[in-house]
Amino acid sequence: MNNYEKYQQVKKEAGATGALLLTLILFWTAAGFGLAGTQVEFLHLPLWVWASSLGVWVFAIVGVKALTHFVFRDMSLEDEEVTRHDK
């Protein structure tokens, strides 16, 4: 993989991570404010507390697992062009 391909992969990974962050923020907002009017409680806490804290945490773990499986690639960060010239 040359430097340009590595750069493109890093851009892809950064974009996907940013998209996941935006999705998490939107989910947190929807879970927190969207469920604020419900009267459902669990362990004396309203449903919006559980959804906006634990729900986002679980959603983030699933999102990161998806990123590492589908988007991220294991690649060497060494500059291969320089190491070829040194040999």
Side-chain angles (χ1 to χ4, degrees):
M1 182 178 277
N2 63 27
N3 285 340
Y4 180 74
E5 292 169 335
K6 288 179 186 179
Y7 177 70
Q8 293 300 319
Q9 179 62 28
V10 168
K11 281 181 28 179
K12 181 180 173 184
E13 292 173 2
T17 303
L20 177 61
L21 175 62
L22 180 62
T23 304
L24 287 171
I25 291 170
L26 293 174
F27 181 80
W28 175 77
T29 303
F33 293 111
L35 296 174
T38 63
Q39 300 301 319
V40 178
E41 288 189 3
F42 180 70
L43 297 175
H44 303 289
L45 290 173
L47 181 62
W48 67 267
V49 172
W50 293 103
S52 65
S53 57
L54 291 178
V56 173
W57 184 72
V58 170
F59 192 67
I61 290 173
V62 170
V64 169
K65 179 66 176 165
L67 282 180
T68 57
H69 190 308
F70 295 112
V71 178
F72 283 58
R73 287 184 56 190
D74 188 16
M75 62 183 174
S76 172
L77 297 178
E78 295 292 323
D79 193 6
E80 294 172 6
E81 294 171 1
V82 171
T83 56
R84 281 189 224 150
H85 290 42
D86 291 339
K87 291 182 179 178

